[in-house]
Amino acid sequence: MTIDEFLSEAKTVAIFGHVRPDGDCVGSTTAVYNYIRDNFPGIAVKLFLENFPESYRIVRGTEVAQSAYTKEKDGIFDLVFLMDTPSFERVGANGAECIRTAKKTINVDHHISNPLNLCTANFVEPEASSACEVLYMNLDKAKVSRETANSLYLGIVHDTGAFKFSSTGKRTMQVVGDLIEKGIDFAKIVNETYYTRTYKQTLVTGFVMQNCKLGLGGKVVYAHITPEDMERFGVTPVELSNVIDTVREVGGTEVALFLYPVNGKYKISLRSNYIVNVNAIAKEFGGGGHTRAAGGDTSDAPEAAIEKILKLVEKQL
């Protein structure tokens, strides 16, 4: 069945992404919301997203997002979308409970760690640049409005690193060409959501870069930030999610590593350029993702976690 066929049978729909939503998560979830709003007015649709960067509010749909699902308040849905999420452990906004009780479910994703059997229908392509690219290929392209296209572009921009990551393929650029023809605000979206930081984010990113270190003969650049540092700069975990993209810009390195506090643990962000499979390393910490971009969590002190990760990187190198 196509996504449109599933929607034609549903009267109530819920949409979820993963914890700590990034650009692809917000883009893909709002794209589904906008697609339903534009083409299936008879469907009662709800979008659930945890806290995300304010700059992402540039796309329509973010204004209606609810931060958490509760069965008592929101009820049971005919159809639930799980976007950009490779496991039930990673579902955000308390969505796992909603997915378990739904009549039918759809997973749209591109993580290599996805088991491909999470939902009733699984549109999963590990080789794709983003969940937004996968979603676009499974929608009726003639029904994709400008607002839906804006959301799709947001996700593709962020998961390709503004088209510089190795996940960017020929089809990715063809999709972007289609979206530009829809009249999207492509320059504004990439500038205001990817390249622009708040003043606080600029200061804390500078602090991280000033204190980063090189390991394994300069092949790894790594850094971490403490709860005290976060309090001093007045930033939240959401405002640190893109710091890894700056850390990885250090020349001559193969792997970039950044740890920051989230809910009493340390979030591990990993990126690689050409050789190291960081998804395999992230799995050692209960996480996963992609070959060149992955993450996990640890209860270890950051120094101890970094030492473990360096040993795992060294094995691959």
Side-chain angles (χ1 to χ4, degrees):
M1 289 177 65
T2 65
I3 288 177
D4 272 35
E5 287 170 337
F6 275 99
L7 288 171
S8 68
E9 296 179 354
K11 293 183 179 179
T12 58
V13 173
I15 307 164
F16 292 89
H18 55 71
V19 294
R20 298 185 290 275
D22 59 7
D24 193 26
C25 178
V26 174
S28 59
T29 53
T30 57
V32 172
Y33 172 83
N34 288 322
Y35 188 80
I36 294 171
R37 174 176 164 178
D38 293 334
N39 300 295
F40 297 87
I43 292 178
V45 55
K46 289 187 177 182
L47 170 61
F48 298 89
L49 279 172
E50 293 183 359
N51 191 28
F52 54 85
E54 280 296 310
S55 62
Y56 296 173
R57 294 189 181 278
I58 196 170
V59 297
R60 190 182 79 181
T62 50
E63 73 282 357
V64 303
Q66 299 176 211
S67 60
Y69 164 85
T70 59
K71 185 177 179 182
E72 295 73 22
K73 175 183 141 187
D74 299 301
I76 297 174
F77 291 84
D78 295 334
L79 179 63
V80 173
F81 283 85
L82 178 57
M83 309 300 296
D84 193 35
T85 307
S87 69
F88 291 129
E89 291 75 22
R90 292 274 297 160
V91 181
N94 196 33
E97 178 185 7
C98 183
I99 294 168
R100 284 195 295 268
T101 59
K103 295 177 183 177
K104 292 180 180 178
T105 55
I106 293 176
N107 182 210
V108 180
D109 189 30
H110 69 126
H111 290 88
I112 196 171
S113 55
N114 194 302
L116 313 180
N117 61 359
L118 293 177
C119 293
T120 309
N122 299 277
F123 301 94
V124 180
E125 297 182 36
E127 70 279 4
S129 71
S130 55
C132 280
E133 180 181 331
V134 178
L135 176 62
Y136 179 74
M137 298 307 299
N138 287 282
L139 295 178
D140 184 335
K141 297 172 183 57
K143 294 181 181 178
V144 173
S145 68
R146 178 176 176 271
E147 298 297 345
T148 300
N150 277 333
S151 291
L152 292 167
Y153 184 74
L154 171 70
I156 293 172
V157 161
H158 280 261
D159 257 27
T160 60
F163 312 108
K164 65 179 181 285
F165 296 165
S166 60
S167 60
T168 308
K170 177 181 177 180
R171 191 182 73 174
T172 309
M173 303 311 290
Q174 290 172 332
V175 170
V176 169
D178 288 352
L179 300 180
I180 289 174
E181 286 190 339
K182 299 284 186 179
I184 60 172
D185 297 320
F186 62 90
K188 187 176 183 180
I189 290 171
V190 70
N191 182 53
E192 294 192 12
T193 71
Y194 188 80
Y195 289 111
T196 302
R197 297 188 186 96
T198 65
Y199 183 62
K200 288 191 300 182
Q201 285 175 311
T202 300
L203 292 179
V204 75
T205 301
F207 172 78
V208 170
M209 296 306 296
Q210 187 176 16
N211 291 279
C212 69
K213 295 180 174 63
L214 293 174
L216 302 183
K219 291 297 183 183
V220 180
V221 56
Y222 60 90
H224 75 275
I225 193 169
T226 67
E228 293 76 20
D229 295 327
M230 290 178 64
E231 185 176 354
R232 178 154 60 96
F233 286 99
V235 293
T236 64
V238 170
E239 293 171 294
L240 296 174
S241 59
N242 292 329
V243 171
I244 185 64
D245 293 322
T246 303
V247 175
R248 77 178 298 172
E249 292 174 359
V250 175
T253 59
E254 165 61 18
V255 174
L257 165 63
F258 178 54
L259 283 76
Y260 58 97
V262 178
N263 298 327
K265 293 185 176 183
Y266 274 87
K267 162 71 176 174
I268 301 169
S269 291
L270 287 157
R271 301 290 186 270
S272 68
N273 288 322
Y274 310 110
I275 301 169
V276 174
N277 179 353
V278 292
N279 176 63
I281 295 173
K283 283 184 177 179
E284 298 290 328
F285 295 88
H290 311 288
T291 304
R292 301 286 173 251
D297 299 284
T298 181
S299 297
D300 293 339
E303 295 84 359
I306 289 169
E307 185 177 350
K308 290 180 182 178
I309 293 168
L310 288 176
K311 289 179 180 177
L312 292 168
V313 172
E314 187 175 28
K315 285 182 180 180
Q316 289 199 40
L317 288 175

